[in-house]
């Protein structure tokens, strides 16, 4: 059973969602504005948040951004707009998935299930991974180099974690996609390269000549020994 927080100002939609989530055996909490949603996200520590984009008091993007500061709880964004740009924006700020309104309840419940399953396979216990002067505190979602915190987005963090726990082992793009992104249909292998580049810009002294995240030509990537 998971605790699921629904932040949605359309009361009828929120109630229908909550009803269906409870039918699946989960606990559902409903909050009708962004500010109250942020407070509930902090006080209730839900296992998953369903977050509407357009909300009174504080919009969904801001809620997502602020929740992400101290939590890696999975977030599914809801929006009435279907433009690709919104999709990108939603994922850039750290949402895990994206559902466009109107949606079918069957689809929504499937997304919830997939997101919960993915988050359970991630490491949750206290664990610190070290590689030279780089340190990753998995539970606190912190990465530091020489004691200075590096600001990583959730997917960059997860990508680095996967590379670190497989240190010195070459991982191809398909494997990285499966381990970091799961089965999102709109993600392709190019996404891996984009995130590798962003990660290097944040953790490499010289991103053009990396010493941590190495390219193994024709095979994939590995974290240096
Ligand atoms: Ca709304």
């Amino acid at each position: 059973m998971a605790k699921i927080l629904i932040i949605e100002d359309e009361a009828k939609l929120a109630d229908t969602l909550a009803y269906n989530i409870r039918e699946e055996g989960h606990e559902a909490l409903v909050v009708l504005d962004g500010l109250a949603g942020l407070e509930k996200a902090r006080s209730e520590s839900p296992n998953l948040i369903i977050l509407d984009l357009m909300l009174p008091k504080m919009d969904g993007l801001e809620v997502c951004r602020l929740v992400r500061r101290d939590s890696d709880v999975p977030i599914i964004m809801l929006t009435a707009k279907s433009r690709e740009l919104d999709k990108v924006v939603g994922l850039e700020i750290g949402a895990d998935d994206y559902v466009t309104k109107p949606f079918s309840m069957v689809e929504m419940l499937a997304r919830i299930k997939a997101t919960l399953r993915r988050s359970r396979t991630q490491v949750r216990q206290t664990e610190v991974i070290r590689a030279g002067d780089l340190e990753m505190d998995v539970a606190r979602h912190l990465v530091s180099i020489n004691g200075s915190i590096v600001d990583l987005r959730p997917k960059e963090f997860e990508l680095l974690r996967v590379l670190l726990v497989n240190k010195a082992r070459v991982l191809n793009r398909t494997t990285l996609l499966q381990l970091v992104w799961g089965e999102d249909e709109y993600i392709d292998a190019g996404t891996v390269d984009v995130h590798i580049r962003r990660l290097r810009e944040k953790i490499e002294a010289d991103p053009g000549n990396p010493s941590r995240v190495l390219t193994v030509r024709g095979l994939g990537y590995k974290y240096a020994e």
Side-chain angles (χ1 to χ4, degrees):
M1 192 188 94
K3 189 195 280 188
I4 300 176
L5 173 62
I6 302 162
I7 310 175
E8 164 64 77
D9 59 318
E10 286 170 54
K12 210 175 150 194
L13 175 60
D15 285 344
T16 308
L17 250 176
Y19 174 82
N20 281 279
I21 284 168
R22 288 178 192 127
E23 286 286 293
E24 294 282 297
H26 301 300
E27 183 184 349
L29 306 167
V30 174
V31 173
L32 301 173
D33 72 73
L35 199 58
L38 180 63
E39 279 163 17
K40 269 272 187 284
R42 285 172 172 164
S43 64
E44 294 284 343
S45 302
N47 304 103
L48 172 72
I49 299 176
I50 297 169
L51 177 61
D52 189 29
L53 188 66
M54 304 294 281
L55 288 167
K57 293 190 185 168
M58 182 186 285
D59 74 44
L61 293 180
E62 190 61 14
V63 174
C64 186
R65 209 172 281 132
L66 293 173
V67 166
R68 271 287 167 270
R69 277 193 186 169
D70 47 30
S71 165
D72 59 354
V73 58
I75 298 176
I76 299 177
M77 294 289 293
L78 287 182
T79 181
K81 299 181 200 164
S82 60
R83 283 177 292 142
E84 282 298 306
L85 184 66
D86 291 318
K87 199 172 234 180
V88 173
V89 168
L91 295 172
E92 269 301 300
I93 54 150
D96 296 81
D97 203 351
Y98 207 88
V99 174
T100 307
K101 293 189 219 172
F103 53 83
S104 78
M105 206 48 75
V106 172
E107 187 203 348
M108 187 66 195
L109 293 172
R111 298 286 191 103
I112 289 171
K113 209 170 171 184
T115 307
L116 285 173
R117 194 183 54 222
R118 260 204 312 274
S119 74
R120 274 193 208 107
T121 62
Q122 286 169 9
V123 186
R124 290 286 163 188
Q125 63 272 46
T126 306
E127 188 191 334
V128 175
I129 306 169
R130 289 186 184 86
D133 56 0
L134 185 142
E135 204 174 277
M136 170 179 279
D137 184 330
V138 178
R140 293 168 66 212
H141 228 274
L142 287 177
V143 171
S144 61
I145 294 174
N146 263 326
S148 316
I149 300 289
V150 182
D151 184 23
L152 295 183
R153 294 179 185 281
K155 291 295 187 226
E156 294 163 358
F157 183 94
E158 188 56 18
L159 180 59
L160 178 58
R161 189 187 71 76
V162 167
L163 287 165
L164 280 169
V165 297
N166 291 286
K167 201 159 174 253
R169 207 177 301 160
V170 182
L171 299 173
N172 65 32
R173 289 179 180 78
T174 312
T175 305
L176 285 170
L177 269 180
Q178 279 165 359
L179 292 174
V180 178
W181 283 268
E183 286 148 29
D184 292 325
E185 73 271 23
Y186 46 81
I187 299 290
D188 62 43
T191 306
V192 175
D193 301 329
V194 170
H195 281 75
I196 289 279
R197 182 163 48 77
R198 289 187 191 150
L199 187 58
R200 280 175 173 159
E201 281 163 8
K202 292 178 179 180
I203 66 169
E204 299 284 356
D206 178 3
N209 186 22
S211 62
R212 302 175 197 275
V213 178
L214 308 179
T215 301
V216 182
R217 208 157 289 283
L219 291 175
Y221 298 100
K222 70 170 183 181
Y223 200 93
E225 278 176 75

